[in-house]
Amino acid sequence: MMLEELLHEIKGLEEKELESYKKLLKKLKDPEYADLRNFLLKLTIDETLHKHISEALEKAYQEVKELVREYTPEEEAELGTAVLFPGVPTIILPREVNAIGTKIPTDEILEEYFGEFPGEPVVGELMEEIKEKLGEYIKNKEALIMNYEKLSEKAKHPVLKGIAKDIKNNKEQHKKMLEKLLEHYKS
């Protein structure tokens, strides 16, 4: 099953499960069902989070596909056989490298990549603007990292806590990449 189909199936199942919980909750109004109602309400709250996360994943995947189509030459991107590093669209690795729960790209791969990237710095009329933008992006990443860290500390729900931590890790990688790139262009 392709990733796109899997995301769609997950979203459908999450929606179905949520509606089923809500229907049963409506029937559990009498006091004798209080314990069951409270338990089911907890599951319904979790399912609401899962439903919205699955919707966001499906929507994000569609948008990523469009970005790849729009900004990557056909000969460089084969969605069926490769994955692009987030933030570094010129690197294509075999799909099996993209394991869930791992840092993609790994810090070692980043070091290797930026050790050679991209040869001599580009010199052109946009260079000053590019360096300025890279500096702004780094500052924005710092604020986002701090906020996702706070969210991961304050979030009570384990799903939200985990997502916040994962996004923070991804933002830290983006910051590293941007810093290396800016350093490269300043040399």
Side-chain angles (χ1 to χ4, degrees), residues 68-113:
V68 169
R69 279 189 198 105
E70 185 174 352
Y71 295 108
T72 306
E74 255 183 63
E75 64 275 6
E76 290 182 21
E78 299 172 24
L79 281 177
T81 60
V83 293
L84 301 173
F85 275 167
V88 187
T90 55
I91 298 180
I92 301 176
L93 287 182
R95 182 178 298 206
E96 54 272 6
V97 173
N98 193 10
I100 291 175
T102 61
K103 285 187 172 185
I104 301 296
T106 64
D107 292 337
E108 295 81 22
I109 291 174
L110 282 178
E111 288 300 322
E112 182 180 328
Y113 177 73

Side-chain angles (χ1 to χ4, degrees), residues 1-184:
M1 183 179 291
M2 298 288 290
L3 180 60
E4 188 171 5
E5 294 165 336
L6 181 59
L7 288 170
H8 186 72
E9 183 175 326
I10 288 170
K11 184 185 85 168
L13 290 171
E14 296 287 9
E15 289 170 345
K16 185 178 177 183
E17 189 79 355
L18 179 60
E19 289 310 308
S20 177
Y21 287 160
K22 286 179 178 180
K23 282 181 184 178
L24 184 54
L25 271 174
K26 286 179 183 179
K27 295 177 182 179
L28 301 176
K29 293 184 180 185
D30 294 335
E32 64 265 22
Y33 299 117
D35 289 342
L36 179 58
R37 185 178 54 246
N38 289 336
F39 174 75
L40 195 57
L41 180 59
K42 195 272 188 238
L43 292 180
T44 305
I45 290 167
D46 288 356
E47 203 57 50
T48 300
L49 291 170
H50 300 165
K51 173 188 165 260
H52 286 284
I53 290 166
S54 68
E55 288 171 345
L57 288 172
E58 184 179 42
K59 183 177 179 185
Y61 182 76
Q62 292 304 318
E63 192 169 330
V64 165
K65 280 177 45 179
E66 287 305 312
L67 284 169
V68 169
R69 279 189 198 105
E70 185 174 352
Y71 295 108
T72 306
E74 255 183 63
E75 64 275 6
E76 290 182 21
E78 299 172 24
L79 281 177
T81 60
V83 293
L84 301 173
F85 275 167
V88 187
T90 55
I91 298 180
I92 301 176
L93 287 182
R95 182 178 298 206
E96 54 272 6
V97 173
N98 193 10
I100 291 175
T102 61
K103 285 187 172 185
I104 301 296
T106 64
D107 292 337
E108 295 81 22
I109 291 174
L110 282 178
E111 288 300 322
E112 182 180 328
Y113 177 73
F114 279 107
E116 302 170 7
F117 179 83
E120 291 300 312
V122 177
V123 179
E125 60 186 60
L126 292 177
M127 205 61 242
E128 286 309 310
E129 182 181 346
I130 290 170
K131 288 191 276 190
E132 184 180 310
K133 288 291 183 190
L134 291 173
E136 287 175 24
Y137 297 157
I138 291 167
K139 286 180 184 171
N140 291 341
K141 295 295 179 206
E142 289 167 353
L144 286 164
I145 289 166
M146 187 174 56
N147 285 322
Y148 277 111
E149 177 66 29
K150 287 178 187 175
L151 179 60
S152 74
E153 291 168 1
K154 292 181 184 279
K156 302 292 185 219
H157 197 282
V159 171
L160 292 178
K161 193 179 263 310
I163 288 171
K165 283 181 182 179
D166 285 346
I167 292 174
K168 181 188 110 353
N169 289 341
N170 194 238
K171 297 291 182 189
E172 287 171 341
Q173 286 187 317
H174 290 181
K175 182 177 176 256
K176 282 181 190 177
M177 289 187 279
L178 289 165
E179 287 170 339
K180 292 275 189 184
L181 191 57
L182 182 58
E183 180 183 312
H184 183 74

